[in-house]
Protein backbone atom coordinates (compact mmCIF):
# COMPACT_ATOMS: atom_id res chain seq x y z
CA UNK A 1 0.00 0.00 0.00
CA UNK A 2 1.17 3.49 -0.83
CA UNK A 3 2.67 5.65 1.89
CA UNK A 4 2.65 9.42 1.80
CA UNK A 5 6.29 9.34 0.72
CA UNK A 6 5.38 7.07 -2.20
CA UNK A 7 2.88 9.72 -3.30
CA UNK A 8 5.48 12.45 -3.04
CA UNK A 9 7.73 10.29 -5.22
CA UNK A 10 4.92 9.76 -7.76
CA UNK A 11 4.52 13.52 -8.03
CA UNK A 12 8.26 13.98 -8.47
CA UNK A 13 8.29 11.74 -11.54
CA UNK A 14 4.94 12.91 -12.94
CA UNK A 15 5.52 14.52 -16.34
CA UNK A 16 2.22 16.42 -15.96
CA UNK A 17 3.09 17.90 -12.56
CA UNK A 18 4.30 21.25 -14.02
CA UNK A 19 0.80 21.92 -15.42
CA UNK A 20 -0.41 22.74 -11.91
CA UNK A 21 1.58 25.97 -12.14
CA UNK A 22 -0.94 27.23 -14.72
CA UNK A 23 -3.60 27.40 -11.99
CA UNK A 24 -4.15 29.64 -9.04
CA UNK A 25 -5.23 27.41 -6.16
CA UNK A 26 -5.72 28.69 -2.62
CA UNK A 27 -3.28 27.63 0.09
CA UNK A 28 -4.48 24.99 2.49
CA UNK A 29 -7.11 23.61 0.16
CA UNK A 30 -7.20 20.22 -1.55
CA UNK A 31 -9.50 20.87 -4.46
CA UNK A 32 -11.37 17.75 -5.56
CA UNK A 33 -14.28 19.44 -7.31
CA UNK A 34 -12.92 20.26 -10.75
CA UNK A 35 -15.72 18.07 -12.08
CA UNK A 36 -18.18 20.75 -10.99
CA UNK A 37 -16.22 24.00 -11.27
CA UNK A 38 -12.71 23.88 -12.68
CA UNK A 39 -9.93 25.82 -10.96
CA UNK A 40 -8.88 29.23 -12.22
CA UNK A 41 -6.15 29.40 -14.82
CA UNK A 42 -3.75 32.15 -13.72
CA UNK A 43 -4.04 33.75 -17.14
CA UNK A 44 -7.78 34.32 -16.68
CA UNK A 45 -7.12 37.41 -14.58
CA UNK A 46 -4.98 39.19 -17.17
CA UNK A 47 -7.28 38.06 -19.94
CA UNK A 48 -10.33 39.44 -18.11
CA UNK A 49 -8.52 42.72 -17.53
CA UNK A 50 -7.56 42.89 -21.20
CA UNK A 51 -11.14 42.31 -22.33
CA UNK A 52 -12.48 44.90 -19.89
CA UNK A 53 -9.86 47.62 -20.26
CA UNK A 54 -8.58 47.32 -23.81
CA UNK A 55 -11.24 45.50 -25.82
CA UNK A 56 -14.28 46.97 -24.13
CA UNK A 57 -12.91 50.21 -22.66
CA UNK A 58 -10.83 51.38 -25.58
CA UNK A 59 -12.09 49.30 -28.49
CA UNK A 60 -15.73 49.83 -27.58
CA UNK A 61 -18.13 48.67 -30.31
CA UNK A 62 -15.22 48.27 -32.74
CA UNK A 63 -14.12 45.18 -30.80
CA UNK A 64 -16.89 43.08 -32.32
CA UNK A 65 -14.62 43.17 -35.38
CA UNK A 66 -11.16 44.24 -34.21
CA UNK A 67 -11.01 41.96 -31.14
CA UNK A 68 -12.73 39.08 -32.92
CA UNK A 69 -15.71 39.02 -30.55
CA UNK A 70 -18.21 38.06 -33.21
CA UNK A 71 -16.12 35.11 -34.40
CA UNK A 72 -15.21 33.95 -30.90
CA UNK A 73 -17.85 31.17 -30.50
CA UNK A 74 -16.50 29.51 -33.67
CA UNK A 75 -12.83 30.14 -32.99
CA UNK A 76 -13.11 28.63 -29.52
CA UNK A 77 -15.13 25.77 -30.96
CA UNK A 78 -12.25 24.97 -33.31
CA UNK A 79 -9.84 25.04 -30.37
CA UNK A 80 -12.04 22.72 -28.32
CA UNK A 81 -12.73 20.32 -31.20
CA UNK A 82 -9.54 18.19 -30.93
CA UNK A 83 -10.34 17.35 -27.30
CA UNK A 84 -13.54 15.58 -28.35
CA UNK A 85 -12.61 14.11 -31.72
CA UNK A 86 -14.39 16.82 -33.71
CA UNK A 87 -13.22 18.71 -36.80
CA UNK A 88 -12.85 22.41 -37.55
CA UNK A 89 -16.15 24.11 -38.28
CA UNK A 90 -18.20 21.64 -36.23
CA UNK A 91 -18.24 23.13 -32.72
CA UNK A 92 -19.39 26.46 -31.30
CA UNK A 93 -18.96 27.63 -27.72
CA UNK A 94 -22.27 29.26 -26.87
CA UNK A 95 -25.25 29.42 -24.54
CA UNK A 96 -25.71 26.89 -21.74
CA UNK A 97 -25.64 23.12 -21.83
CA UNK A 98 -29.37 23.07 -21.09
CA UNK A 99 -30.11 25.32 -24.07
CA UNK A 100 -27.78 23.37 -26.35
CA UNK A 101 -29.52 20.15 -25.33
CA UNK A 102 -32.80 21.69 -26.44
CA UNK A 103 -31.35 22.84 -29.77
CA UNK A 104 -29.70 19.52 -30.59
CA UNK A 105 -32.64 17.42 -29.47
CA UNK A 106 -35.16 19.53 -31.37
CA UNK A 107 -33.03 19.45 -34.52
CA UNK A 108 -32.60 15.67 -34.24
CA UNK A 109 -36.35 15.16 -33.81
CA UNK A 110 -36.94 17.28 -36.91
CA UNK A 111 -34.44 15.32 -38.99
CA UNK A 112 -36.22 12.09 -38.07
CA UNK A 113 -39.68 13.60 -38.69
CA UNK A 114 -38.64 14.62 -42.20
CA UNK A 115 -37.39 11.16 -43.08
CA UNK A 116 -40.38 9.26 -44.58
CA UNK A 117 -39.21 5.93 -43.19
CA UNK A 118 -38.73 7.33 -39.68
CA UNK A 119 -41.39 10.00 -39.35
CA UNK A 120 -43.67 7.85 -37.18
CA UNK A 121 -41.08 7.57 -34.43
CA UNK A 122 -42.14 9.58 -31.38
CA UNK A 123 -39.97 8.32 -28.51
CA UNK A 124 -36.98 10.08 -26.98
CA UNK A 125 -34.86 7.75 -24.86
CA UNK A 126 -32.66 8.66 -21.94
CA UNK A 127 -31.73 7.34 -18.49
CA UNK A 128 -33.66 8.22 -15.36
CA UNK A 129 -30.27 8.69 -13.68
CA UNK A 130 -29.22 11.31 -16.24
CA UNK A 131 -28.46 14.80 -14.97
CA UNK A 132 -31.83 16.42 -14.16
CA UNK A 133 -31.58 19.28 -16.64
CA UNK A 134 -31.10 16.81 -19.50
CA UNK A 135 -34.23 14.97 -18.45
CA UNK A 136 -36.18 18.18 -17.86
CA UNK A 137 -35.22 19.69 -21.22
CA UNK A 138 -36.28 16.50 -23.00
CA UNK A 139 -39.55 16.41 -21.04
CA UNK A 140 -40.15 20.02 -21.93
CA UNK A 141 -39.48 19.45 -25.61
CA UNK A 142 -41.59 16.28 -25.83
CA UNK A 143 -44.50 17.95 -24.02
CA UNK A 144 -44.26 21.03 -26.19
CA UNK A 145 -44.15 18.98 -29.39
CA UNK A 146 -47.26 17.04 -28.36
CA UNK A 147 -48.58 14.78 -31.16
CA UNK A 148 -47.57 11.69 -29.20
CA UNK A 149 -43.96 12.63 -28.53
CA UNK A 150 -42.85 11.10 -25.25
CA UNK A 151 -39.77 10.60 -23.16
CA UNK A 152 -38.80 7.05 -22.22
CA UNK A 153 -36.76 6.98 -19.00
CA UNK A 154 -34.66 3.85 -18.66
CA UNK A 155 -33.96 2.63 -15.15
CA UNK A 156 -30.74 0.72 -15.59
CA UNK A 157 -27.85 0.64 -17.98
CA UNK A 158 -28.52 -3.05 -18.55
CA UNK A 159 -31.96 -2.18 -19.97
CA UNK A 160 -30.72 0.58 -22.20
CA UNK A 161 -30.13 -1.38 -25.39
CA UNK A 162 -33.56 -3.01 -25.30
CA UNK A 163 -35.18 0.39 -24.69
CA UNK A 164 -33.78 1.71 -27.97
CA UNK A 165 -36.18 0.25 -30.49
CA UNK A 166 -38.15 0.83 -33.69
CA UNK A 167 -40.20 3.58 -31.97
CA UNK A 168 -37.13 5.53 -30.94
CA UNK A 169 -36.52 8.82 -32.71
CA UNK A 170 -33.60 10.10 -30.66
CA UNK A 171 -31.41 8.71 -27.89
CA UNK A 172 -29.84 11.23 -25.53
CA UNK A 173 -27.19 9.97 -23.15
CA UNK A 174 -24.66 11.52 -20.86
CA UNK A 175 -21.34 9.84 -21.56
CA UNK A 176 -20.05 9.95 -17.96
CA UNK A 177 -22.73 9.90 -15.26
CA UNK A 178 -22.54 12.90 -12.93
CA UNK A 179 -23.27 10.87 -9.81
CA UNK A 180 -21.56 7.55 -10.27
CA UNK A 181 -18.80 8.40 -12.73
CA UNK A 182 -19.96 5.48 -14.90
CA UNK A 183 -18.71 5.87 -18.49
CA UNK A 184 -20.84 4.50 -21.31
CA UNK A 185 -19.41 2.69 -24.31
CA UNK A 186 -20.09 5.45 -26.84
CA UNK A 187 -19.14 3.40 -29.89
CA UNK A 188 -21.32 0.40 -29.00
CA UNK A 189 -24.38 2.42 -28.01
CA UNK A 190 -24.12 4.73 -31.02
CA UNK A 191 -23.88 1.73 -33.33
CA UNK A 192 -26.87 0.12 -31.62
CA UNK A 193 -28.95 3.31 -31.90
CA UNK A 194 -28.15 3.55 -35.60
CA UNK A 195 -28.97 -0.11 -36.18
CA UNK A 196 -32.39 0.64 -34.69
CA UNK A 197 -32.84 3.67 -36.95
CA UNK A 198 -32.42 6.22 -34.15
CA UNK A 199 -30.13 9.26 -33.89
CA UNK A 200 -27.95 9.64 -30.82
CA UNK A 201 -26.86 12.74 -28.96
CA UNK A 202 -24.15 12.66 -26.29
CA UNK A 203 -23.78 15.02 -23.35
CA UNK A 204 -20.07 15.42 -22.63
CA UNK A 205 -20.42 17.57 -19.48
CA UNK A 206 -18.26 15.16 -17.47
CA UNK A 207 -16.18 13.99 -20.43
CA UNK A 208 -14.75 17.01 -22.23
CA UNK A 209 -11.28 17.54 -20.81
CA UNK A 210 -11.79 14.56 -18.48
CA UNK A 211 -11.58 11.46 -20.68
CA UNK A 212 -10.55 10.92 -24.30
CA UNK A 213 -13.58 11.32 -26.57
CA UNK A 214 -13.67 10.55 -30.29
CA UNK A 215 -17.08 11.65 -31.53
CA UNK A 216 -16.42 10.86 -35.20
CA UNK A 217 -14.79 7.48 -34.63
CA UNK A 218 -17.51 6.47 -32.16
CA UNK A 219 -20.40 7.36 -34.43
CA UNK A 220 -22.10 10.12 -32.44
CA UNK A 221 -24.67 12.29 -34.23
CA UNK A 222 -24.67 15.35 -31.95
CA UNK A 223 -22.98 16.40 -28.75
CA UNK A 224 -23.10 19.14 -26.13
CA UNK A 225 -21.11 19.84 -22.99
CA UNK A 226 -19.87 22.30 -20.38
CA UNK A 227 -16.72 24.39 -20.36
CA UNK A 228 -16.83 25.31 -16.66
CA UNK A 229 -16.11 21.80 -15.38
CA UNK A 230 -12.97 19.98 -16.54
CA UNK A 231 -12.23 22.65 -19.17
CA UNK A 232 -11.73 25.35 -16.50
CA UNK A 233 -13.63 28.06 -18.38
CA UNK A 234 -14.94 29.83 -15.25
CA UNK A 235 -18.26 29.90 -13.38
CA UNK A 236 -21.17 29.91 -15.82
CA UNK A 237 -18.87 29.94 -18.86
CA UNK A 238 -20.72 29.21 -22.11
CA UNK A 239 -21.20 25.60 -23.13
CA UNK A 240 -20.52 23.94 -26.48
CA UNK A 241 -22.48 22.15 -29.17
CA UNK A 242 -21.11 19.83 -31.85
CA UNK A 243 -22.87 19.21 -35.16
CA UNK A 244 -20.79 17.12 -37.56
CA UNK A 245 -20.54 18.31 -41.16
CA UNK A 246 -22.67 15.38 -42.35
CA UNK A 247 -25.67 16.69 -40.37
CA UNK A 248 -25.19 20.42 -40.75
CA UNK A 249 -27.32 21.02 -43.84
CA UNK A 250 -30.34 19.34 -42.21
CA UNK A 251 -29.70 20.77 -38.72
CA UNK A 252 -32.52 23.23 -38.09
CA UNK A 253 -33.07 24.25 -34.51
CA UNK A 254 -36.01 26.28 -33.24
CA UNK A 255 -34.01 28.98 -31.41
CA UNK A 256 -33.47 30.76 -34.70
CA UNK A 257 -31.91 33.94 -33.43
CA UNK A 258 -29.97 36.44 -35.46
CA UNK A 259 -26.52 35.00 -34.65
CA UNK A 260 -27.60 31.85 -36.46
CA UNK A 261 -28.67 33.76 -39.57
CA UNK A 262 -26.70 33.48 -42.80
CA UNK A 263 -26.44 37.29 -42.97
CA UNK A 264 -27.03 38.69 -39.48
CA UNK A 265 -26.25 42.25 -40.49
CA UNK A 266 -28.41 42.22 -43.58
CA UNK A 267 -31.21 42.73 -41.00
CA UNK A 268 -33.67 40.82 -43.14
CA UNK A 269 -37.19 40.13 -41.88
CA UNK A 270 -36.88 36.41 -42.67
CA UNK A 271 -34.67 33.83 -41.01
CA UNK A 272 -32.25 32.00 -43.28
CA UNK A 273 -29.94 29.66 -41.35
CA UNK A 274 -26.20 30.11 -41.76
CA UNK A 275 -24.32 27.49 -43.72
CA UNK A 276 -22.30 25.36 -41.35
CA UNK A 277 -22.05 25.31 -37.57
CA UNK A 278 -23.10 28.98 -37.28
CA UNK A 279 -26.73 27.85 -37.41
CA UNK A 280 -26.34 26.39 -33.93
CA UNK A 281 -25.95 29.92 -32.52
CA UNK A 282 -28.83 32.01 -31.24
CA UNK A 283 -28.06 35.49 -29.90
CA UNK A 284 -25.36 37.76 -28.45
CA UNK A 285 -22.89 35.98 -26.21
CA UNK A 286 -21.35 37.08 -22.87
CA UNK A 287 -17.95 38.12 -24.22
CA UNK A 288 -16.21 38.47 -20.89
CA UNK A 289 -17.10 34.96 -19.86
CA UNK A 290 -16.58 33.55 -23.33
CA UNK A 291 -13.09 35.02 -23.62
CA UNK A 292 -11.96 33.23 -20.45
CA UNK A 293 -12.83 29.83 -21.94
CA UNK A 294 -9.69 30.21 -24.01
CA UNK A 295 -7.51 30.40 -20.87
CA UNK A 296 -8.71 26.94 -19.87
CA UNK A 297 -8.23 25.55 -23.37
CA UNK A 298 -4.71 26.99 -23.54
CA UNK A 299 -3.59 24.67 -20.75
CA UNK A 300 -4.68 21.59 -22.72
CA UNK A 301 -2.33 22.63 -25.53
CA UNK A 302 0.57 21.55 -23.26
CA UNK A 303 -0.53 17.92 -23.06
CA UNK A 304 -2.83 15.29 -24.59
CA UNK A 305 -6.04 13.67 -23.44
CA UNK A 306 -4.24 10.32 -23.52
CA UNK A 307 -1.58 11.50 -21.07
CA UNK A 308 -4.25 13.07 -18.87
CA UNK A 309 -6.26 9.86 -18.89
CA UNK A 310 -3.32 7.80 -17.67
CA UNK A 311 -2.82 10.14 -14.74
CA UNK A 312 -6.56 10.41 -14.04
CA UNK A 313 -6.85 6.64 -13.72
CA UNK A 314 -3.73 6.46 -11.56
CA UNK A 315 -5.24 9.13 -9.26
CA UNK A 316 -8.62 7.43 -9.03
CA UNK A 317 -7.06 3.98 -8.48
CA UNK A 318 -4.94 5.46 -5.70
CA UNK A 319 -7.96 7.19 -4.16
CA UNK A 320 -10.07 4.01 -4.18
CA UNK A 321 -7.20 1.88 -2.79
CA UNK A 322 -6.41 4.32 0.00
CA UNK A 323 -10.04 4.81 1.01
CA UNK A 324 -10.57 1.06 1.16
CA UNK A 325 -7.33 0.52 3.10
CA UNK A 326 -7.76 3.37 5.59
CA UNK A 327 -11.52 3.78 5.84
CA UNK A 328 -12.60 0.22 5.04
CA UNK A 329 -14.29 -0.15 8.43
CA UNK A 330 -16.49 2.89 7.79
CA UNK A 331 -19.90 2.85 6.11
CA UNK A 332 -18.57 3.88 2.71
CA UNK A 333 -19.82 2.31 -0.50
CA UNK A 334 -17.98 2.70 -3.79
CA UNK A 335 -20.42 3.53 -6.58
CA UNK A 336 -17.85 4.28 -9.28
CA UNK A 337 -16.89 1.38 -11.55
CA UNK A 338 -13.57 -0.29 -10.85
CA UNK A 339 -13.16 -1.17 -14.53
CA UNK A 340 -11.05 1.53 -16.12
CA UNK A 341 -13.01 1.54 -19.37
CA UNK A 342 -16.22 2.31 -17.47
CA UNK A 343 -14.81 5.03 -15.20
CA UNK A 344 -14.81 8.80 -15.72
CA UNK A 345 -12.54 11.17 -13.81
CA UNK A 346 -14.34 11.39 -10.48
CA UNK A 347 -14.91 8.84 -7.74
CA UNK A 348 -18.07 8.64 -5.66
CA UNK A 349 -18.71 6.97 -2.36
CA UNK A 350 -22.00 6.71 -0.52
CA UNK A 351 -22.19 7.30 3.21
CA UNK A 352 -25.41 7.42 5.27
CA UNK A 353 -24.39 10.91 6.41
CA UNK A 354 -22.80 11.86 3.14
CA UNK A 355 -23.89 15.49 3.22
CA UNK A 356 -22.64 16.03 6.77
CA UNK A 357 -19.35 14.28 6.09
CA UNK A 358 -18.73 16.33 2.95
CA UNK A 359 -19.51 19.55 4.80
CA UNK A 360 -16.99 18.57 7.51
CA UNK A 361 -14.39 17.73 4.86
CA UNK A 362 -14.86 21.11 3.23
CA UNK A 363 -14.39 22.78 6.62
CA UNK A 364 -11.11 20.87 6.88
CA UNK A 365 -9.96 22.06 3.45
CA UNK A 366 -10.88 19.02 1.33
CA UNK A 367 -13.35 20.31 -1.23
CA UNK A 368 -15.51 17.73 -2.94
CA UNK A 369 -19.27 17.88 -3.26
CA UNK A 370 -22.47 16.05 -2.48
CA UNK A 371 -25.22 14.68 -4.68
CA UNK A 372 -28.45 13.07 -3.64
CA UNK A 373 -28.85 10.36 -2.54
CA UNK A 374 -26.01 10.09 0.01
CA UNK A 375 -23.24 10.44 -2.59
CA UNK A 376 -19.92 12.17 -1.91
CA UNK A 377 -18.09 13.07 -5.14
CA UNK A 378 -14.37 13.53 -5.44
CA UNK A 379 -13.11 14.95 -8.73
CA UNK A 380 -9.60 13.89 -9.75
CA UNK A 381 -8.44 16.43 -12.27
CA UNK A 382 -4.99 15.48 -13.55
CA UNK A 383 -4.10 19.02 -14.64
CA UNK A 384 -3.72 20.18 -11.05
CA UNK A 385 -4.34 17.32 -8.61
CA UNK A 386 -1.22 15.78 -7.07
CA UNK A 387 -0.84 12.23 -5.81
CA UNK A 388 0.02 13.66 -2.40
CA UNK A 389 -3.27 15.58 -2.44
CA UNK A 390 -5.08 12.28 -2.79
CA UNK A 391 -3.13 10.85 0.15
CA UNK A 392 -3.82 13.88 2.34
CA UNK A 393 -7.50 13.97 1.37
CA UNK A 394 -7.98 10.34 2.35
CA UNK A 395 -6.12 10.95 5.61
CA UNK A 396 -8.49 13.81 6.44
CA UNK A 397 -11.49 11.69 5.40
CA UNK A 398 -10.29 8.95 7.71
CA UNK A 399 -9.91 11.33 10.66
CA UNK A 400 -13.31 12.88 10.00
CA UNK A 401 -15.01 9.50 9.92
CA UNK A 402 -13.14 7.95 12.85
CA UNK A 403 -13.74 10.95 15.09
CA UNK A 404 -17.30 11.26 13.78
CA UNK A 405 -16.39 14.92 13.39
CA UNK A 406 -19.45 15.83 11.37
CA UNK A 407 -22.75 17.42 12.22
CA UNK A 408 -25.40 14.86 11.30
CA UNK A 409 -28.10 17.52 11.27
CA UNK A 410 -26.02 19.85 9.09
CA UNK A 411 -28.27 22.39 7.41
CA UNK A 412 -28.23 22.18 3.61
CA UNK A 413 -26.69 25.03 1.68
CA UNK A 414 -28.55 26.17 -1.44
CA UNK A 415 -25.82 24.60 -3.59
CA UNK A 416 -24.49 21.27 -2.38
C1 LIG B 1 -23.23 20.04 -15.29
C2 LIG B 1 -24.21 19.42 -16.23
C3 LIG B 1 -25.15 20.19 -16.90
C4 LIG B 1 -25.27 21.67 -16.62
O1 LIG B 1 -26.16 22.33 -17.45
P1 LIG B 1 -26.23 23.93 -17.41
O2 LIG B 1 -27.17 24.30 -18.46
O3 LIG B 1 -24.84 24.44 -17.58
O4 LIG B 1 -26.70 24.33 -16.03
C5 LIG B 1 -25.98 19.56 -17.81
N1 LIG B 1 -25.89 18.24 -18.05
C6 LIG B 1 -24.99 17.46 -17.40
C7 LIG B 1 -24.92 16.01 -17.69
C8 LIG B 1 -24.13 18.03 -16.47
O5 LIG B 1 -23.25 17.27 -15.82
Amino acid sequence: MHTRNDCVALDARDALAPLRAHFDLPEGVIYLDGNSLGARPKSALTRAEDVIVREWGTGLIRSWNSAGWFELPKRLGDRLAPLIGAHDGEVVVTDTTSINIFKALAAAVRIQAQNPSRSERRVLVTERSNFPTDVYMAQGLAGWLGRGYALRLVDSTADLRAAIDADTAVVMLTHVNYRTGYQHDMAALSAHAHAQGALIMWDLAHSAGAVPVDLHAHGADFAVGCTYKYLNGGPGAPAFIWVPKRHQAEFEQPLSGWWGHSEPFAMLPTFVPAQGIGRALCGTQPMLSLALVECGLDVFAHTSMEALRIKSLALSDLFIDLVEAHCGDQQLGLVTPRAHARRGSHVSFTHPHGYAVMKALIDRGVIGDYREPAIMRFGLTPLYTRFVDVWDAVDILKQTLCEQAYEIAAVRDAVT
Side-chain angles (χ1 to χ4, degrees), residues 96-98 101 130-131 133-134 174 178 203 205-206 226 228-229:
T96 66
T97 302
S98 302
I101 288 168
N130 200 344
F131 191 90
T133 208
D134 299 55
T174 294
Y178 77 104
D203 187 332
H206 287 270
C226 296
Y228 55 73
K229 293 174 177 167

Side-chain angles (χ1 to χ4, degrees), residues 248-260:
Q248 286 180 356
E250 53 186 358
F251 185 89
E252 291 193 25
Q253 51 97 0
L255 302 181
S256 46
W258 71 312
W259 276 46

Side-chain angles (χ1 to χ4, degrees), residues 108-128:
V109 164
R110 190 175 182 284
I111 291 170
Q112 294 289 62
Q114 294 203 328
N115 181 332
S117 68
R118 297 180 176 180
S119 60
E120 297 304 314
R121 294 166 178 254
R122 292 284 186 276
V123 177
L124 312 180
V125 173
T126 193
E127 292 180 286
R128 198 180 298 278

Side-chain angles (χ1 to χ4, degrees), residues 191-213:
H192 177 69
H194 291 159
Q196 296 298 315
L199 291 171
I200 188 161
M201 174 192 141
W202 289 95
D203 187 332
L204 305 178
H206 287 270
S207 308
V211 299
V213 175

